[in-house]
Amino acid sequence: MTNASPTYVFPKGFVWGSATAAIQVEGAASLYGKGPSNWDVFCREHPEKIFDRGSPEVACDHYHRYKEDVRLMKETGHTGYRLSIAWTRIFPEGYGRTNPEGIAFYRALFDELLASGIEPNVTLYHWDLPQTLAERGGWENKETIEHFVHYARTCFELFGSRVRLWSTLNEPAWTTLQGYVTGLHPPNQTSHRAAIQVSHNFNVAHARVVKDFQAMKRAGAFAAGAEAQIGLVLNMSTVYPATKDPLDVRAARLADGVLNRWFIDPALKGVYPEDIWELYRSCGILPVHTESELALFRENTVDYIGVNYYYPHYASSDAPESAYHLNTSGKANEDCVFAIKDLFRFVKNPSGKYTDWGWEIFPEGLYELLWRAQEYRPGIPVYITENGVGMNEKLDDQGTVNDEARIEFVREHLKVAHRAISNGVNVKGYYMWALMDNFSWVNGFKKRYGFLFVDRATQARSIKASGRWYREVSARNGF
Ligand code: BGP
């Protein structure tokens, strides 16, 4: 890094952060009064479904090491940190009695962050559903919505004095797809009808929580007052047609509708996209819904949008069969497959540059997503809530990781964000995925994402070259 003025200067107050999710880092999965989540149980009962039988039981032991982790955030220039609350630490059974130890943990974590000048951005639901609710139908059962709303209100009451930035759900599209279409994540179902019901219930749960949040904000529940904000975090992957063939163009539009617009439209515009509603209606799989649920969308749009971006999709109309495969081994020749019969199939970009896990590296895709938010609602605050690259890594002789490829990945995406800002998009911050190497769902621990290398045997943390680079970027507010 030179001393010359940065070429890419970010707006004053731009958040330099990183992200994690509770189950991916905390560990202490069965300790301190925490109840079991669907993921805890899934990993215990089906270890063979997780790469190398990885388990979130200990994860990165962040529960015990949070003070050290906050110190390392500080050392790597963080001004913000996106995390999620484990619902089962607050309500071990999903509802009913609360768990004082869980509440104390998050209070202490928020205090530690705030004392270090790092603003928390808190996601209420990052895929870890209380097992008790999973056993009663999970998100297919509308009762789960009621429990989620109560859990959210409780969190606002408990932590509203410390937390200004909130989001309801992380990537409802991805968790619905993997849980109910590909069946790779719990509850391992393959039912389009269930998927659409769950996605609708997510949208309703989100809108209900937004409504309560705004009412509680007006009633003074947040120390930040009018500055308190609630958003939704979406993985709005750009979908391009595989060719110029009108059928592929149509397939791309459909894929974008099913994966993106079905969630963005209600959250930002307050209505479902007509073409996808019509598609589900014509297939006889519209979700069970009420008029008052649809009215909720219209009346409760978000304060900001969180964009998670990893890679784009290319849709082909040639989808004679449904087929799903996720590369969890990190072997470059293992392709990811995703096809929904008669709708679309995702294909590889022949000239694309791919990670070992088969995700294309394409920074330009981020530009379109940022612009898209702007088109939906000019001036809406946008946070890049996740963006990063999973790699095969190990410590070198100097006890660090020289992850130049990650630095390049982040730098190129930040350049794109900078251009979007220059062109008028209100991008407020960047949270790299992830603070540290963590439990990568069905990928286990091999796929490393962090600014911090985590030794699996000792849990020792080491700052990678990217973490040192980020400290400089943050200090100069650019690069
Ligand atoms: C997002 C999730 C994160 C994170 C990331 C990387 O979809 O919100 O929790 O895991 O993807 O994905 P993976 O860990 O599967 O490589």
Side-chain angles (χ1 to χ4, degrees):
M1 183 91 41
T2 68
N3 288 324
S5 313
T7 310
Y8 301 91
V9 181
F10 283 74
K12 196 166 175 287
F14 189 82
V15 177
W16 297 102
S18 69
T20 60
I23 195 164
Q24 297 184 268
V25 296
E26 282 181 7
S30 326
L31 302 177
Y32 311 114
K34 180 181 169 298
S37 74
N38 59 340
W39 269 92
D40 296 322
V41 173
F42 170 62
C43 296
R44 261 175 236 149
E45 291 183 354
H46 298 285
E48 76 288 353
K49 296 201 177 186
I50 313 290
F51 183 80
D52 245 358
R53 304 172 86 86
S55 150
E57 199 69 38
V58 177
C60 307
D61 199 28
H62 173 68
Y63 190 94
H64 295 116
R65 293 165 192 258
Y66 75 91
K67 286 193 180 170
E68 177 189 357
D69 290 337
V70 173
R71 183 177 55 73
L72 290 166
M73 286 180 216
K74 186 89 187 145
E75 271 183 45
T76 47
H78 282 64
T79 59
Y81 175 52
R82 175 175 175 243
L83 68 144
S84 76
I85 293 178
W87 185 342
T88 48
R89 254 190 226 296
I90 307 297
F91 289 102
E93 285 91 28
Y95 59 94
R97 72 182 172 96
T98 51
N99 170 33
E101 281 180 285
I103 295 168
F105 168 70
Y106 290 111
R107 281 202 175 121
L109 172 57
F110 296 143
D111 285 346
E112 195 74 15
L113 286 165
L114 294 169
S116 304
I118 299 169
E119 178 166 37
N121 180 332
V122 175
T123 300
L124 289 162
Y125 182 75
H126 200 127
W127 307 356
D128 47 344
L129 181 69
Q131 177 63 13
T132 42
L133 301 184
E135 284 168 11
R136 285 152 59 166
W139 284 104
E140 252 188 286
N141 182 347
K142 291 203 185 208
E143 208 184 277
T144 297
I145 300 174
E146 302 306 321
H147 297 313
F148 180 65
V149 169
H150 180 66
Y151 154 66
R153 285 188 71 93
T154 308
C155 288
F156 299 151
E157 279 160 11
L158 290 169
F159 309 123
S161 59
R162 292 165 168 87
V163 179
R164 178 180 72 95
L165 284 176
W166 295 84
S167 67
T168 53
L169 308 170
N170 178 71
E171 299 187 358
W174 188 251
T175 187
T176 306
L177 266 183
Q178 301 294 25
Y180 294 87
V181 177
T182 68
L184 296 171
H185 288 189
N188 312 100
Q189 287 194 40
T190 50
S191 155
H192 287 179
R193 180 182 295 281
I196 289 154
Q197 187 63 54
V198 165
S199 64
H200 172 72
N201 292 351
F202 272 137
N203 285 332
V204 173
H206 160 78
R208 289 271 309 271
V209 170
V210 170
K211 183 176 180 182
D212 280 4
F213 181 89
Q214 302 301 3
M216 291 176 72
K217 179 155 99 175
R218 285 191 295 275
F222 298 95
E227 299 293 307
Q229 292 205 323
I230 189 132
L232 174 64
V233 172
L234 297 172
N235 52 324
M236 307 201 304
S237 284
T238 327
V239 188
Y240 302 102
T243 69
K244 289 188 178 138
D245 184 322
L247 288 176
D248 288 349
V249 173
R250 182 173 168 275
R253 175 88 188 142
L254 272 176
D256 180 58
V258 170
L259 300 177
N260 295 328
R261 288 182 287 118
W262 185 254
F263 300 92
I264 312 171
D265 285 23
L268 264 79
K269 280 195 200 158
V271 286
Y272 274 128
E274 275 176 30
D275 56 337
I276 304 302
W277 185 266
E278 182 49 32
L279 170 74
Y280 294 161
R281 197 195 57 74
S282 65
C283 297
I285 51 176
L286 268 184
V288 176
H289 66 280
T290 63
E291 280 311 309
S292 61
E293 287 173 347
L294 301 183
L296 262 175
F297 300 157
R298 289 192 292 279
E299 290 152 15
N300 298 286
T301 54
V302 285
D303 292 331
Y304 78 89
I305 195 84
V307 172
N308 289 359
Y309 176 68
Y310 289 88
Y311 59 96
H313 295 299
Y314 302 87
S316 158
S317 62
D318 177 22
E321 294 300 337
S322 292
Y324 315 106
H325 179 73
L326 206 57
N327 170 347
T328 58
S329 69
K331 295 201 177 107
N333 58 357
E334 188 185 337
D335 281 340
C336 296
V337 179
F338 187 91
I340 300 184
K341 187 172 183 302
D342 297 334
L343 286 188
F344 57 85
R345 177 169 61 92
F346 290 143
V347 296
K348 268 185 108 164
N349 172 6
S351 54
K353 184 180 165 198
Y354 283 81
T355 71
D356 289 345
W357 277 265
W359 291 12
E360 189 187 359
I361 299 176
F362 186 63
E364 200 53 34
L366 177 63
Y367 189 82
E368 296 196 20
L369 301 187
L370 298 175
W371 250 109
R372 188 168 203 184
Q374 170 78 358
E375 279 169 0
Y376 267 85
R377 197 195 300 164
I380 186 170
V382 184
Y383 289 88
I384 299 165
T385 34
E386 285 181 32
N387 173 239
V389 58
M391 308 206 303
N392 279 301
E393 291 175 314
K394 54 181 196 294
L395 281 185
D396 62 19
D397 296 342
Q398 276 76 48
T400 184
V401 179
N402 205 356
D403 55 345
E404 274 304 318
R406 179 169 292 105
I407 294 175
E408 188 188 333
F409 181 99
V410 174
R411 192 197 287 122
E412 292 309 308
H413 284 82
L414 281 171
K415 281 185 192 170
V416 167
H418 186 270
R419 178 152 50 89
I421 294 169
S422 309
N423 291 338
V425 185
N426 189 11
V427 185
K428 307 285 279 180
Y430 179 85
Y431 300 88
M432 208 279 280
W433 185 268
L435 170 65
M436 60 187 119
D437 301 338
N438 61 65
F439 174 69
S440 207
W441 310 107
V442 287
N443 303 302
F445 292 97
K446 189 180 178 198
K447 196 176 187 184
R448 291 179 178 268
Y449 274 101
F451 280 138
L452 309 178
F453 181 91
V454 179
D455 183 307
R456 294 255 46 87
T458 64
Q459 295 286 354
R461 279 79 161 128
S462 315
I463 298 177
K464 299 180 192 174
S466 57
R468 293 190 288 275
W469 173 80
Y470 205 59
R471 176 178 54 208
E472 297 299 317
V473 172
S474 168
R476 303 166 83 216
N477 204 29
F479 53 94

